Amino acid sequence: MKNNRTLAKRLTTQAMLVAAAVVLGGIERLIPPFFPAMPGVKIGLANLATLAALYWLGEIPAIAIAVARILLGTFLFASVSALPYALAGGVLAWAVMCVGRRVFGVPGVSLLGAVAHNLAQICVSVWLLDSTVLFMYIPFLTIIACATGFVLGFVMLNLDNHIRKTSLLTNI
Amino acid sequence: MSDAKYYPRWRRDVILLAAVVVLAAALQFSVFKAGTQASEAVVTAHGETVVRLALGTDTIYTYEFEEETNEIVVENGGVFIRRANCKGQDCVRQGRIDRAGQSIVCLPHKLIIELAMTDANEPEIDIIVR
């Protein structure tokens, strides 16, 4: 049953996830690159919001939150030229996670999202740069994404455990 | 979790992790056949080759396109970008490359420096001295 109270709570939860994601993205920008020779290596903290939205609210709210946080984050912290990369990464990660969660658990889904995010960004850069050199980065980035994605999956499981002890997710 | 009935799926997740890592590692090692010395750096911008720099001679090449500049330094058989006016500075941070197949990319300027392999049919010395 979706009464006004439920709708208001859902909307608030979505807004909170967008805000949390933008903050996580901002924090991540402060972390110096792990591999200076390999730009694009990052933890992907903001993907935690998409992941949480996917499990807590459903697939449509998840993509809405992903797109909202990408637009906000890009205009706040980055330049417009970074937008195609961020959008492609976010959308493909979401799509792959939607399919993946029918088969895998949270860490697996998170891993798939991270790998998909990288692949999409590489594909966009290959398209924009009109050169296939960047395909060379895929294997290395994928290995890193496996590690960060899997660990972030555990973070999500823990987060979920704690949030479910509160009333935040009841009746949504 | 909303789909708690599917848990635990640890075994699947671990298999997925192992499979993807092994696949990526295999690709990584097949892509980077270690250590062939490169002979020239091919600079490409906006999809077109701008210049080919022989690695034998130390030079500084400044790429300029409208307001965009990258200072490309060839030194001791390697290449790096010393200065650039792009926003991220990723190209500068990528550092020096000297093996064939390696590349430096400046995404905002759509600039790529790619190291080409020495052609086995041509003696290396000829190319450098020329």
Side-chain angles (χ1 to χ4, degrees):
Chain A
M1 189 188 72
K2 276 189 186 177
N3 53 28
N4 284 340
R5 213 183 142 86
T6 307
L7 285 174
K9 191 166 183 184
R10 281 183 74 87
L11 187 63
T12 319
T13 313
Q14 290 175 32
M16 264 169 30
L17 280 174
V18 171
V22 171
V23 171
L24 285 174
I27 289 172
E28 185 154 11
R29 256 160 220 289
L30 302 175
I31 303 172
F34 301 101
F35 299 95
M38 201 60 84
V41 173
K42 54 177 196 168
I43 312 173
L45 283 177
N47 195 43
L48 196 56
T50 313
L51 201 59
L54 199 60
Y55 282 102
W56 293 344
L57 300 163
E59 291 173 359
I60 302 302
I63 186 67
I65 287 163
V67 170
R69 72 127 170 111
I70 286 164
L71 290 176
L72 278 171
T74 306
F75 290 119
L76 276 174
F77 307 117
S79 60
V80 187
S81 63
L83 195 59
Y85 299 96
L87 271 180
V91 171
L92 190 70
W94 166 80
V96 167
M97 291 197 295
C98 284
V99 178
R101 81 183 182 126
R102 286 165 174 77
V103 184
F104 298 102
V106 178
V109 170
S110 175
L111 177 154
L112 286 173
V115 171
H117 184 272
N118 279 339
L119 285 182
Q121 294 207 318
I122 293 280
C123 288
V124 169
S125 62
V126 163
W127 175 52
L128 287 179
L129 267 83
D130 205 6
S131 160
T132 52
V133 208
L134 283 149
F135 280 136
M136 303 276 279
Y137 289 70
I138 288 180
F140 184 80
L141 287 180
T142 300
I143 293 172
I144 302 294
C146 284
T148 59
F150 210 73
V151 171
L152 217 62
F154 283 98
V155 174
M156 173 60 198
L157 282 176
N158 262 303
L159 182 67
D160 189 79
N161 270 335
H162 287 289
I163 294 282
R164 281 186 196 282
K165 285 173 194 157
T166 70
S167 60
L168 274 172
L169 295 178
T170 49
N171 300 321
I172 63 167
Chain B
M1 299 248 138
S2 51
D3 41 11
K5 60 182 171 182
Y6 297 116
Y7 288 85
R9 285 166 163 175
W10 298 113
R11 192 209 281 265
R12 286 178 181 189
D13 285 356
V14 171
I15 291 172
L16 176 72
L17 175 69
V20 178
V21 168
V22 167
L23 187 70
L27 268 173
Q28 174 78 16
F29 286 114
S30 61
V31 164
F32 290 106
K33 290 174 221 82
T36 346
Q37 188 66 38
S39 65
E40 62 171 5
V42 185
V43 182
T44 315
H46 299 267
E48 279 168 33
T49 306
V50 178
V51 69
R52 290 168 171 270
L53 304 166
L55 295 186
T57 8
D58 292 0
T59 42
I60 296 171
Y61 174 84
T62 308
Y63 164 78
E64 276 169 331
F65 176 78
E66 290 168 3
E67 296 291 288
E68 304 170 348
T69 63
N70 297 65
E71 195 180 302
I72 302 162
V73 181
V74 179
E75 213 175 75
N76 303 326
V79 191
F80 61 94
I81 295 184
R82 182 153 65 193
R83 260 193 292 273
N85 63 352
C86 55
K87 194 173 177 186
Q89 296 288 306
D90 278 329
C91 56
V92 179
R93 256 184 251 120
Q94 279 171 75
R96 187 177 182 275
I97 53 169
D98 54 11
R99 280 183 294 144
Q102 288 184 314
S103 57
I104 300 176
V105 179
C106 180
L107 281 183
H109 291 180
K110 296 189 167 45
L111 177 86
I112 303 162
I113 305 172
E114 219 183 327
L115 292 192
M117 216 164 317
T118 308
D119 192 335
N121 299 322
E122 270 178 283
E124 249 178 90
I125 306 300
D126 284 7
I127 303 167
I128 297 166
V129 174
R130 179 166 55 183

